[in-house]
Amino acid sequence: MSNSMKITAGQTLTRTLTALIRAMDGQRAATITYVDSKGEESVRTIEIHNILTTSKGGIIVRAMCRTRGEMRTFNLEQIKAYTIHRIRFVLAVPAEVEELPLAHLAVTAQEMVDLELERDYPEPKMVLAA
């Protein structure tokens, strides 16, 4: 991949996600231009360790931030530009982060469908009359 910044507004969300997944799989650092919830823009070099969906269907990127030296969460839609580097990961993930249990782990396609259906159509809660 080239080291020129890719502007996310100029490509599909799928293409951005695919590039970030490739960076994660290849353990390649990425530099992102990110706009936080306050509207402040920053440039960060990150090492992506996980890409997850939220219960509302948003996509978040969990990555070690080289600026902060800690695990951070980035909303995919707030990443305005990125570049993938050839340099490999260099930061160690803290043990407490590595050992966090996965809330939703699907090994098969059927398990993934079941998890998604459970999220969208939760079991009704039984209320007992006193």
Side-chain angles (χ1 to χ4, degrees), residues 18-130:
T18 300
L20 297 179
I21 289 171
R22 282 189 184 135
M24 178 179 68
D25 287 347
Q27 294 188 348
R28 306 275 185 196
T31 297
I32 61 170
T33 300
Y34 186 75
V35 178
D36 67 16
S37 59
K38 297 174 187 171
E40 296 177 16
E41 187 174 287
S42 63
V43 176
R44 309 274 185 96
T45 299
I46 61 173
E47 300 174 1
I48 302 169
H49 288 276
N50 211 344
I51 298 175
L52 307 161
T53 57
T54 66
S55 61
K56 295 181 180 179
I59 300 171
I60 57 173
V61 176
R62 293 282 295 153
M64 288 296 293
C65 176
R66 289 188 175 175
T67 303
R68 303 273 190 247
E70 58 188 31
M71 188 65 74
R72 305 295 280 205
T73 300
F74 302 93
N75 183 326
L76 183 65
E77 292 181 357
Q78 291 173 257
I79 296 174
K80 301 304 175 191
Y82 68 91
T83 188
I84 308 301
H85 303 287
R86 291 187 176 140
I87 189 168
R88 300 267 183 193
F89 290 0
V90 296
L91 297 176
V93 178
E96 62 271 8
V97 173
E98 286 181 341
E99 295 174 4
L100 288 176
L102 295 173
H104 298 286
L105 176 62
V107 178
T108 67
Q110 183 60 49
E111 288 175 342
M112 177 61 78
V113 169
D114 291 344
L115 284 171
E116 290 297 315
L117 287 172
E118 181 181 317
R119 184 190 74 195
D120 293 340
Y121 305 100
E123 293 283 326
K125 305 242 188 261
M126 298 294 286
V127 179
L128 299 175

